[in-house]
Amino acid sequence: NLRYPAYELYLYGEGNYAEENKNLILTGIPILFLPGNAGSYKQVRSLGSIALRKAEDLDFKYHFNFFSVNFNEELVALYGGTLQRQTKFVHECLKVILKLYKGQEFAPTSVAIVGHSMGGLVARALLTLKNFKPELINLLITQATPHVAPVMPLDRYLTDFYTAVNNHWTLKAQDLRNLTTLSVAGGFRDYQVRSGLAFLPRLSQHDSALSVVSSAVPRAWASTDHLSIVWCKELILATIRAFFDLIDESTRQITEDPKKRMSVLNHHFVRHPGKIFEENPEAFTELTVILFAFFFSFEESDGKYFTFPLASHRESYSHVYCENTMLVVILKLQDYPSLSHIVILVPPSAGNKFTLDCEFFKEDSRTIQLPVTNLFSFGLSSSKILLNSTGLFYNVQLQHFNQVYQAFKIHVESHCQSLIGKYMCSKLLSFSVPSFTEISAKLHMAQPENESRFPVLNIYSSADCQYEVILKTSFLQILGQIIRFHAGALPVYVVSNILLTYGGQLSTLMSTGQCSEFSLELVRTAKPYKVEPIISIVVFLQGFNWFREIWDSLLLPEVDAAVLSSQDAWFPLVSLILFLFGTGIAFWSAVFFSTSLRIFSSLWLTLTRPTVLSKAKLITPRRLCVVGSLALVSWTTCGAFALFIIYLQYLFFFFFLIFQLCLNSIRCTVKNQNLIDSTSEATQSLSSSTTAEAANSFKIHVTVFNLFTWIVLLNLPSLVYWLKNLRYSVRLDPDPCRTTAIILVCILEILMNSSTSEVKSSKLLKIAAKVPFLLSVAVLAFGRMHLYRVPHFVTFSLLLHVLCCICKSMPCHTVLTSFCG
């Protein structure tokens, strides 16, 4: 397709099946797989291969045709400029796929979609297209898709795309009446997309959406990382079984009945009863022989039936519980009003021991409340209960456990009168007593406002054991929750720390005429209590209408902390901890940079003999040509590419200057040894002042370079995307940093050739020294959920620095000729 040269549509096949479908004469059920960020179209093999095996077992009575889209492994989670293009291409793919079935006896009218990661979001975005017909898709399954918000909002195209999709699904829910959606999250092993982001929004108008975590899917019970969710065998089997159960025998396509679709998905992904899905299960056969017993053990069995009458137990009990070596079943009697008996089959077990335990119980008698410990206890205090077990099952409600910043370690210790025998897979496993188990407890998302239930710890007990349950706050897991929910905001805190240091250096330069070291100034100025109270006050005042009206009249965006608080994703001390992390990263990155400079300069000095820099003006025809060339590069190709070029130029200039420093230091040492008697005091004073000026300039350049490094890093994904698609288009369109790159090229070409002598003599220095503090506050206020705003704040601060160099109160007579440590 000329409109989408980088994209392709594939049909999966293998063996004889692939040979038979070479001519694209298809008779199956179409399913389209959409890969995610940097994903491959070949990932469809996990679904297609297992579906083909199951179809072979059914003698191809039903079979599926799996299609897959090649998105050229684009980084759509980091660069959002191509998401709309992908969505339009998928729309074209749907129309092409359905055309392949025209004239067939059971031609489909819709396509089921499986989307991994950002592929699931692209599938949801189909409904936002103006000419899209909602009936083209009736089933959507997403795997580890961040539905709520982007993981790293690095450009406005990404955030705008999310806003458009989520607003459409909220405001136009009527378009979703015939669409059944299942979202499967990976759980705590998915470090790229936390499960809270994968939960579909709950809409009152749309009851055909289901969100689950892989660790809670029956027969899977395991968390998956971001990639393994595509090929996890247990999840793939559940998905394929669901697909086959969704087939309508009359149309030989996926059923058009939304209720049946939800029933099948609930059967396979929520509450699997251990049997094949039946739309209308047959009534239970009533047995005349009633055997009422609770505990049975067989060395050998030819197969036995046990029936438990319910009529005499409904008033006294609320639940019935049964367990054997392979299965645990809990039934709420109220949910089965027409059921008269429970029939349990003990299968043939010749030569193997088989146990069956059953009991009736009342829920209130088996429910125990355990209040969780306080966040600030740091594991020093604990909450404890003791269970003297007389039954087989207990519910332990964890009270006041409803926020994502809460994390606990739960210790369960059992003391039994005899050895515990557990039978699994026909093998006897004996555990010595007492036994000890440790469980981690943390939430994927905060408790919804309309939800009154508590998290529950289920204990499957033995009648002759005593259980001790101890709960303690886990500080390390609290830190883990903070990183899980807010790691994407760490660059914002690093930049905020560097801006505070930058402002402190300019203030010191203004007051003393000397510039302090980056690390020392970072320790002195990077104080969270200078920044966070201002943001907290603004968030508090936004609760008043008069302040909100003033805020909106100034066209200011909403403070990110307020948005996070409304989503229950912001909690006490999180900003302080992230700020300290940011301080540490800023400090050690500066140490690494300084150390690297010394190493490379030493190596260069041993290999070359650099010459002394000549005096020059800040603005020269040569530099204007460089600025014009880089601006042209930014406009015609990619803004991030121009930034990368000026970054390398700045880095090379840094190395060259420090090489000159080392060389001049050696020369100064030789002169002091041989010509100390002939050197005048005036010459020594001039040399000392020049060295001090060079040292001040070097220190301020280190800070500027650190700021610029983070700008380059935040714009790096668009550069990678541009390089990867260079064979299709020389110009990146849309480009999130084109304008910013042109401005920064002009700024940095002047800054890298400036010294502190120009800045000290400027009347704008007082303003330039105070603005970085305000910008550090603005970065934290508006950049946590919008990382693409960070370069704008840094650019404004550097612009003031350039103005100080140009608009000074007196002409500059000295230029930087060398740098000293």
Side-chain angles (χ1 to χ4, degrees):
N1 195 319
L2 296 178
R3 288 184 296 170
Y4 310 100
Y7 303 155
E8 298 170 314
L9 176 64
Y10 286 87
L11 171 65
Y12 173 80
E14 57 183 76
N16 293 333
Y17 170 80
E19 292 293 330
E20 294 171 0
N21 290 282
K22 274 188 176 181
N23 297 325
L24 296 179
I25 302 176
L26 307 177
T27 59
I29 303 170
I31 295 179
L32 178 62
F33 175 78
L34 303 180
N37 178 61
S40 170
Y41 66 95
K42 297 178 182 179
Q43 291 173 311
V44 73
R45 181 178 181 273
S46 301
L47 287 166
S49 181
I50 292 181
L52 181 59
R53 300 293 175 268
K54 189 169 180 65
E56 289 174 348
D57 293 341
L58 298 175
D59 294 328
F60 284 92
K61 179 181 180 181
Y62 308 111
H63 70 278
F64 292 89
N65 301 129
F66 278 87
F67 297 85
S68 183
V69 173
N70 178 16
F71 284 135
N72 197 29
E73 300 184 8
E74 293 176 338
L75 299 173
V76 286
L78 303 176
Y79 169 71
T82 190
L83 283 169
Q84 194 67 23
R85 190 180 305 131
Q86 286 191 1
T87 305
K88 293 179 180 179
F89 180 73
V90 173
H91 185 201
E92 297 297 324
C93 289
L94 293 177
K95 292 186 287 186
V96 169
I97 289 171
L98 292 176
K99 284 182 181 179
L100 296 175
Y101 295 86
K102 278 192 173 181
Q104 299 295 332
E105 182 180 359
F106 299 99
T109 58
S110 61
V111 180
I113 296 180
V114 178
H116 172 243
S117 188
M118 295 297 289
L121 188 71
V122 169
R124 287 181 64 211
L126 286 169
L127 285 93
T128 65
L129 299 178
K130 291 182 179 180
N131 56 345
F132 181 76
K133 298 178 180 179
E135 58 268 20
L136 289 180
I137 55 174
N138 60 4
L139 177 64
L140 170 61
I141 297 178
T142 65
Q143 302 170 327
T145 296
H147 293 292
V148 178
V151 177
M152 293 289 287
L154 292 175
D155 61 62
R156 62 182 178 86
Y157 307 115
L158 194 58
T159 55
D160 290 347
F161 188 82
Y162 265 89
T163 302
V165 172
N166 288 328
N167 285 347
H168 184 92
W169 277 58
T170 302
L171 300 176
K172 297 186 178 181
Q174 65 273 10
D175 294 345
L176 312 175
R177 291 192 304 268
N178 297 319
L179 175 61
T180 302
T181 310
L182 168 67
S183 175
V184 183
F188 289 113
R189 287 184 181 272
D190 190 342
Y191 297 108
Q192 297 183 46
V193 177
R194 59 180 176 86
S195 298
L197 293 178
F199 294 154
L200 291 164
R202 297 183 178 182
L203 305 177
S204 58
Q205 305 94 331
H206 184 214
D207 57 356
S208 296
L210 183 64
S211 300
V212 298
V213 181
S214 63
S215 56
V217 174
R219 297 187 176 186
W221 311 120
S223 178
T224 63
D225 61 53
H226 193 63
L227 290 179
S228 67
I229 195 172
V230 176
W231 48 260
C232 173
K233 181 179 179 181
E234 289 78 9
L235 286 178
I236 295 299
L237 287 173
T239 305
I240 297 302
R241 288 167 183 152
F243 279 144
F244 276 90
D245 286 340
L246 285 167
I247 298 175
D248 186 343
E249 292 187 3
S250 61
T251 62
R252 296 199 175 185
Q253 298 293 327
I254 290 179
T255 178
E256 294 294 329
D257 183 3
K259 291 184 178 179
K260 181 180 178 181
R261 292 198 297 262
M262 282 301 295
S263 178
V264 171
L265 294 180
N266 272 287
H267 175 87
H268 288 282
F269 289 91
V270 180
R271 297 185 64 182
H272 199 296
K275 64 189 184 77
I276 299 174
F277 173 79
E278 294 177 299
E279 187 174 1
N280 296 308
E282 298 180 358
F284 286 87
T285 303
E286 184 174 351
L287 301 182
T288 56
V289 180
I290 304 298
L291 298 177
F292 185 81
F294 280 47
F295 304 98
F296 298 94
S297 179
F298 305 91
E299 293 294 340
E300 291 188 5
S301 172
D302 297 330
K304 296 180 181 294
Y305 286 93
F306 293 88
T307 64
F308 297 89
L310 299 182
S312 59
H313 294 82
R314 288 187 181 276
E315 295 183 0
S316 303
Y317 304 102
S318 63
H319 291 72
V320 60
Y321 170 90
C322 286
E323 68 174 5
N324 62 16
T325 55
M326 298 296 292
L327 187 64
V328 173
V329 176
I330 302 176
L331 297 180
K332 188 176 182 179
L333 299 181
Q334 186 180 356
D335 295 339
Y336 305 92
S338 60
L339 198 64
S340 62
H341 295 77
I342 294 178
V343 181
I344 298 177
L345 168 65
V346 176
S349 55
N352 297 314
K353 193 169 184 178
F354 186 91
T355 61
L356 172 66
D357 298 337
C358 293
E359 70 168 343
F360 288 90
F361 66 88
K362 198 168 185 177
E363 187 176 20
D364 295 342
S365 65
R366 298 297 175 86
T367 301
I368 301 171
Q369 296 177 344
L370 177 65
V372 299
T373 52
N374 190 275
L375 171 69
F376 300 102
S377 64
F378 300 109
L380 299 178
S381 62
S382 63
S383 185
K384 183 187 302 184
I385 59 170
L386 190 64
L387 296 177
N388 291 312
S389 176
T390 57
L392 302 176
F393 177 79
Y394 286 89
N395 282 324
V396 179
Q397 291 184 349
L398 305 180
Q399 289 186 312
H400 314 299
F401 184 19
N402 51 18
Q403 297 296 331
V404 294
Y405 60 82
Q406 296 174 297
F408 308 98
K409 285 287 188 181
I410 301 176
H411 307 276
V412 181
E413 187 171 357
S414 64
H415 301 273
C416 301
Q417 298 176 0
S418 60
L419 292 180
I420 306 173
K422 293 292 182 183
Y423 300 87
M424 299 179 65
C425 301
S426 302
K427 292 184 179 179
L428 177 62
L429 303 177
S430 297
F431 299 93
S432 60
V433 291
S435 64
F436 179 81
T437 302
E438 184 178 87
I439 304 171
S440 297
K442 48 195 174 183
L443 299 178
H444 296 292
M445 61 180 294
Q447 185 181 32
E449 293 182 0
N450 57 351
E451 183 65 66
S452 59
R453 294 178 299 174
F454 295 107
V456 175
L457 171 67
N458 294 329
I459 296 181
Y460 300 93
S461 55
S462 179
D464 57 351
C465 292
Q466 183 183 71
Y467 297 88
E468 185 178 31
V469 182
I470 304 173
L471 182 144
K472 293 182 179 181
T473 298
S474 174
F475 181 69
L476 289 179
Q477 292 204 44
I478 290 175
L479 291 180
Q481 286 290 84
I482 292 175
I483 297 300
R484 181 182 302 277
F485 278 79
H486 302 287
L490 273 177
V492 177
Y493 285 88
V494 177
V495 172
S496 179
N497 275 275
I498 300 175
L499 283 172
L500 289 174
T501 306
Y502 184 37
Q505 286 180 316
L506 293 177
S507 297
T508 305
L509 184 65
M510 179 179 63
S511 59
T512 65
Q514 301 295 323
C515 185
S516 55
E517 289 280 355
F518 178 87
S519 56
L520 297 177
E521 195 64 34
L522 176 68
V523 174
R524 187 181 72 84
T525 58
K527 308 296 183 183
Y529 58 79
K530 294 181 179 180
V531 178
E532 288 300 330
I534 299 176
I535 300 176
S536 300
I537 291 172
V538 171
V539 173
F540 173 76
L541 291 176
Q542 282 188 332
F544 298 96
N545 292 332
W546 61 269
F547 186 83
R548 170 69 67 176
E549 292 176 359
I550 296 174
W551 189 270
D552 293 339
S553 64
L554 296 174
L555 302 179
L556 294 173
E558 192 169 6
V559 178
D560 289 347
V563 179
L564 291 170
S565 297
S566 65
Q567 299 174 355
D568 291 325
W570 200 247
F571 42 92
L573 297 181
V574 61
S575 190
L576 173 62
I577 294 174
L578 290 174
F579 194 95
L580 295 177
F581 272 119
T583 305
I585 294 173
F587 178 85
W588 288 110
S589 61
V591 171
F592 173 79
F593 174 67
S594 300
T595 305
S596 301
L597 274 180
R598 295 177 188 276
I599 294 174
F600 281 108
S601 61
S602 300
L603 293 175
W604 184 269
L605 189 60
T606 58
L607 298 175
T608 62
R609 293 183 176 273
T611 58
V612 179
L613 292 177
S614 60
K615 295 183 179 181
K617 296 180 180 179
L618 286 177
I619 302 177
T620 64
R622 177 182 173 276
R623 289 179 189 144
L624 289 176
C625 291
V626 173
V627 169
S629 301
L630 291 178
L632 184 63
V633 168
S634 176
W635 186 259
T636 57
T637 58
C638 173
F641 181 52
L643 287 179
F644 188 69
I645 293 174
I646 195 72
Y647 182 81
L648 294 178
Q649 182 184 349
Y650 202 170
L651 186 63
F652 177 77
F653 191 72
F654 241 124
F655 290 153
F656 189 72
L657 290 174
I658 204 164
F659 302 153
Q660 295 298 319
L661 165 64
C662 298
L663 186 60
N664 290 341
S665 298
I666 295 173
R667 291 174 179 173
C668 289
T669 302
V670 173
K671 289 180 179 179
N672 288 336
Q673 290 177 350
N674 299 332
L675 304 174
I676 189 169
D677 295 334
S678 61
T679 303
S680 64
E681 293 182 3
T683 304
Q684 292 179 6
S685 176
L686 180 61
S687 176
S688 177
S689 63
T690 303
T691 301
E693 189 63 42
N696 290 331
S697 299
F698 176 75
K699 293 170 185 176
I700 203 71
H701 273 284
V702 169
T703 306
V704 171
F705 189 80
N706 278 337
L707 285 172
F708 186 45
T709 298
W710 282 100
I711 294 179
V712 173
L713 289 176
L714 291 174
N715 288 286
L716 195 59
S718 61
L719 174 62
V720 175
Y721 175 86
W722 174 75
L723 290 173
K724 194 168 185 178
N725 291 271
L726 194 58
R727 65 182 183 273
Y728 303 111
S729 177
V730 176
R731 191 172 192 262
L732 178 63
D733 188 33
D735 191 342
C737 65
R738 179 173 289 127
T739 305
T740 305
I742 294 174
I743 297 173
L744 279 171
V745 163
C746 300
I747 291 173
L748 291 170
E749 189 63 35
I750 298 175
L751 271 185
M752 73 173 63
N753 295 284
S754 67
S755 67
T756 55
S757 61
E758 293 106 354
V759 179
K760 285 191 295 185
S761 59
S762 175
K763 294 180 179 179
L764 293 176
L765 180 57
K766 187 174 182 180
I767 298 176
K770 294 184 179 298
V771 166
F773 168 74
L774 300 176
L775 293 177
S776 69
V777 177
V779 163
L780 293 184
F782 306 115
R784 289 184 179 111
M785 299 176 64
H786 305 83
L787 290 176
Y788 60 88
R789 293 173 179 170
V790 173
H792 304 331
F793 296 118
V794 176
T795 300
F796 184 73
S797 182
L798 297 180
L799 178 61
L800 288 177
H801 192 156
V802 168
L803 293 177
C804 287
C805 296
I806 298 175
C807 306
K808 47 190 178 296
S809 60
M810 61 183 68
C812 176
H813 298 291
T814 59
V815 293
L816 183 63
T817 57
S818 63
F819 280 90
C820 294

